[in-house]
Amino acid sequence: MRPGVLALVAAAVAAPHVAAAQSRAPALSTEAIVQRYIAARGGLPAIKAIHTVRMTGSMRPGGFDVQLKYDETVARPGSVRIDATLQGLTLVQSYNGSKGWQIQPFQGRKDPEDVSADDAKSLAEEADFETPLIDAAAKGATIENLGVTDIDNAPAYVLRVTLKNGDDETWYIDPDAFLPVRMVTHQKVRGSDVYSQNDYGDYEKVDGVYFPFEIASGPKGSTVQQRVTYDTVVANGSVDPVIFARPAAPAATPAGGAPTTVQKPPVKG
């Protein structure tokens, strides 16, 4: 089937669902949705008052029956570090606002290394705990109002945010709570279109601001999802900026093992 025909078929199938969703959620302007989202999160002053966030809990990778200890720290103006630990090995991904690095022990790489440009973009986006719905213009982003659709048989407002880096995020906002229930990211990765999906739940208030304590993520449309559950979220705790900086690689050692010390023999008089 040609792409144009396929698009028409998809539109025809989707139309009744959109109409049904709109009947259960009144049409709102982009500004109205964003302002209600900000108010639902806790209000702009409370959001701007948060400078660091540390989230700890567990992560279950999609398709694997294991549970990792999960630790994520975010600090303004755009730093993030993620640690995931299993059986004494810790995967690290970090971004300091300009550069990203990682340690991938599960792939046999225990020394820090730079992340790819695509992974650096993802980490920079992760560092924005406000979401780009807040101060979009100042962040170089634009917001498009796509109306109302159904998500799991419930209506949701749909806002597509095109980021400064060229990625776009489609946010699905619950019309009652005005908190996000889903976000779909579209990225160009090595020239290919990649779509990933985050589903949010179990919102709890931390220092006056609501954060999701359950996040399921994976490729868009996939039933295989990674699930992160937070036990604690701490706002405005002390964070040393050094944790975001790439550590120096260990010094090389001789082939025989540990470094050796050579001393000159004493001079005989």
Side-chain angles (χ1 to χ4, degrees), residues 1 8 43-44 52 76 82 84 89 101 109 113 147 210 215 229:
M1 186 179 290
L8 290 174
L44 199 58
T52 66
R76 293 187 191 271
I82 298 168
L89 296 178
W101 60 275
R109 303 197 299 272
E113 59 187 18
Y210 277 100
I215 303 176
T229 303

Side-chain angles (χ1 to χ4, degrees), residues 53-57 70-74 80-83 126-127 215 228 230:
V53 181
R54 184 178 180 190
M55 300 162 280
T56 58
Y70 187 86
D71 190 327
E72 179 173 347
T73 302
V74 182
V80 61
R81 174 170 171 149
I82 298 168
D83 291 55
E126 180 74 12
I215 303 176
V228 173
Y230 298 124

Side-chain angles (χ1 to χ4, degrees), residues 36-43 46-47 129-131 134 177-180 203 205 208-212:
R36 293 193 189 189
Y37 159 71
I38 292 172
R41 283 288 305 272
I47 294 169
F129 64 83
E130 292 183 350
T131 78
I134 297 177
F178 276 92
L179 293 170
Y203 280 88
K205 186 173 281 190
V209 177
Y210 277 100
F211 288 87

Side-chain angles (χ1 to χ4, degrees), residues 14-197:
H17 298 284
V18 172
Q22 288 174 337
S23 70
R24 288 180 284 154
L28 292 176
S29 68
T30 302
E31 182 178 2
I33 297 171
V34 170
Q35 289 304 317
R36 293 193 189 189
Y37 159 71
I38 292 172
R41 283 288 305 272
L44 199 58
I47 294 169
K48 293 297 184 182
I50 293 181
H51 296 280
T52 66
V53 181
R54 184 178 180 190
M55 300 162 280
T56 58
S58 61
M59 179 180 75
R60 288 187 175 274
F64 295 92
D65 188 22
V66 296
Q67 180 170 287
L68 289 76
K69 179 182 177 183
Y70 187 86
D71 190 327
E72 179 173 347
T73 302
V74 182
R76 293 187 191 271
S79 296
V80 61
R81 174 170 171 149
I82 298 168
D83 291 55
T85 303
L86 177 67
Q87 297 178 350
L89 296 178
T90 300
L91 176 152
V92 180
Q93 285 193 314
S94 186
Y95 184 79
N96 66 359
S98 60
K99 293 183 179 180
W101 60 275
Q102 63 184 355
I103 298 174
Q104 294 280 2
F106 303 113
Q107 298 177 9
R109 303 197 299 272
K110 297 185 179 182
D111 293 337
E113 59 187 18
D114 291 340
V115 300
S116 68
D118 292 323
D119 286 341
K121 282 201 307 179
S122 295
L123 287 169
E125 293 164 18
E126 180 74 12
D128 184 7
F129 64 83
E130 292 183 350
T131 78
L133 294 171
I134 297 177
D135 292 337
K139 296 171 182 176
T142 58
I143 303 177
E144 179 184 4
N145 189 341
L146 301 185
V148 183
T149 192
D150 269 329
I151 295 293
D152 298 330
N153 298 316
Y157 292 108
V158 188
L159 298 178
R160 179 177 294 156
V161 185
T162 301
L163 306 177
K164 184 178 180 180
N165 64 19
D167 294 346
D168 64 71
E169 299 178 352
T170 303
W171 290 83
Y172 298 84
I173 312 293
D174 179 86
D176 297 317
F178 276 92
L179 293 170
V181 293
R182 176 171 294 172
M183 188 269 286
V184 175
T185 301
H186 169 219
Q187 298 175 304
K188 282 284 188 181
V189 179
R190 292 182 288 279
S192 299
D193 292 303
V194 175
Y195 294 86
S196 56
Q197 177 176 306

Side-chain angles (χ1 to χ4, degrees), residues 197-269:
Q197 177 176 306
N198 284 359
D199 288 332
Y200 304 101
D202 191 20
Y203 280 88
E204 296 186 32
K205 186 173 281 190
V206 179
D207 275 23
V209 177
Y210 277 100
F211 288 87
F213 275 58
E214 294 272 357
I215 303 176
S217 58
K220 181 184 177 183
S222 174
T223 58
V224 179
Q225 292 186 317
Q226 169 182 290
R227 192 170 297 273
V228 173
T229 303
Y230 298 124
D231 299 320
T232 60
V233 175
V234 177
N236 290 327
S238 177
V239 174
D240 189 342
V242 74
I243 71 169
F244 304 112
R246 174 177 168 169
T253 58
T260 56
T261 301
V262 178
Q263 292 181 320
K264 287 185 178 181
V267 178
K268 293 182 179 181

